[in-house]
Amino acid sequence: MASGALLTGAGVFSSTRVLAGSAGPITRYPLYVPPTVDVGSLPTAYLLTAKASTVDLGGGKLSKAWVYNNFIPGPTFRAGQGDIAKINLKNQLAQPTITHWHGMVVDYQNDGHPAYAIQPGGQYAYSFPINQRAALNWYHPHPDKLTGQQVAMGLAGAFIVNDPEEGALGLPAGPYEVPLVIRDASLNTKGNLQYKPGGDGFFGRIPLVNGTANPYLNVDTALYRFRVLGGANARVFELALDSGDPFTLIRNDGGLLAASTQVATIDLAPGERVDLLVDFRALKVGDRVMLRDLSAGWDLLQFVVIRQVSDPTPIPTTLSTIVPLGTEVRTRDFSFDGMSKINGLVYDMSRIDFQVPFGDVERWRFTTGGNAPHPVHVHGASFQVVSRTGGRGQLFPWESGWKDTVLLQDRETVEVLIRFASYKGEYLIHCHKLEHEDNGMMSNFEVV
Ligand code: C2O
Ligand code: CU
């Protein structure tokens, strides 16, 4: 069943699938945009079901996949500061699962720790207040050793947090604000999604944007806001426009940057997010622009200008205030060893590796000798990246402000400042290359 046709569920308020057509030398299909669910204003908990199903990856042919509520990606959740998100996860897969809200600052019981995985047929009731800056976060499975398979088979979705600060900027909205979940995938000879990781992780043979292969998006001569999520298991994308125009970068994992910046290319590792303004106002009807991945040499998404409009939306320069975290109380070292260890240890779900005092500023130093990429992700708090030495030897514009995932390449040392000031309890640090995570490159710690 085409995922765009399944819009009858409670709480599903909107969906967009532009009319079919083709553009360019290969057949392209309309970009799928998942329905939005305002989870902050529902009278009852929203039911999110993980199950095997079929999806249309473009072109009408159905592929077997694992999906949240029939969609790849799953519904886009939206909530505002002060709201309470209530979501019931139902497991209709044939294996255990649990959902983690990546980037959401929630207490331990709502964080999707693998110890809380539910068996087939089970349910997990989440309920958490939204108390953080506006951002694009996301949700995906987090069971012990099965995360890579479940994500590659299709389980993931966006979770947007809104707040008054961002609302006051007058950023492009409605049809001009489009989430883009970028990942790679492999199909078997029958056209079904398959998960066959190699020794160095899962690298799919084709890119998918919002679950669409070879997508296009019809656009107006307007300013657009693309909220981009690196949703691959292992692949790092290098985003660029074939027009040579830069992106205007306004936001990353943890919300708005201090100021907007023009960047020609952006590295996007698994788990990272960027918010990009793209200006089509100087183009004419019929013009085309391609969003590309320079790393694999892939065309990701074609923009086709179909309508002339006049759009006065200003591009903001000053965006937010980023208060530096200040001086650390202590430093901790984390060595990402081989493809399965942190500080020499393979993950053990029942072992707590260290304790972090609530409210202290700490300096965490991530290093690796090899086997990168290691996108380092921390649950429970965002951090500020302060330095990178070795390897690429610099910080990039998309690493300023607040982050929850930072890319560690071979022979790099990255230092971040972090402070857990929302909840006590058990959280995780891990490599977001999902095959490394599943192999054990993950550690439990406790905020005390
Ligand atoms: Cu996106 Cu612990 O995960
Ligand atoms: Cu890794």
Side-chain angles (χ1 to χ4, degrees), residues 371 373-374 431 433 436 441:
N371 297 294
H374 304 297
C431 178
K433 177 164 173 172
H436 289 181
M441 192 176 268

Side-chain angles (χ1 to χ4, degrees), residues 336-383:
F336 291 79
D337 306 326
M339 295 195 279
S340 61
K341 291 176 184 160
I342 297 177
N343 291 341
L345 294 175
V346 172
Y347 184 63
D348 175 342
M349 205 158 64
S350 57
R351 184 190 68 224
I352 292 180
D353 293 325
F354 59 102
Q355 291 187 320
V356 183
F358 183 88
D360 280 2
V361 176
E362 299 199 344
R363 179 177 293 252
W364 288 14
R365 188 185 292 138
F366 309 135
T367 60
T368 188
N371 297 294
H374 304 297
V376 179
H377 172 50
V378 181
H379 292 210
S382 293
F383 50 73

Side-chain angles (χ1 to χ4, degrees), residues 66 91-97 118-121 143 146-147 149-150:
W66 297 356
N91 182 8
Q92 286 186 352
L93 302 170
Q95 54 180 243
T97 195
I118 49 172
Q119 295 304 312
L146 297 170
T147 296
Q149 180 183 19
Q150 293 186 9

Side-chain angles (χ1 to χ4, degrees), residues 100-103 111-112 114 138-142 147 151 270-271 273 377-379 404-405 428-432 434 437 442:
H100 167 56
W101 315 97
H102 180 134
D111 196 47
W138 65 303
Y139 59 98
H140 62 76
H142 218 298
T147 296
V151 172
R273 288 90 73 204
H377 172 50
V378 181
H379 292 210
D404 56 54
T405 307
L428 290 162
I429 175 171
H430 63 87
C431 178
H432 218 288
L434 298 179
E437 171 182 344
M442 179 150 73

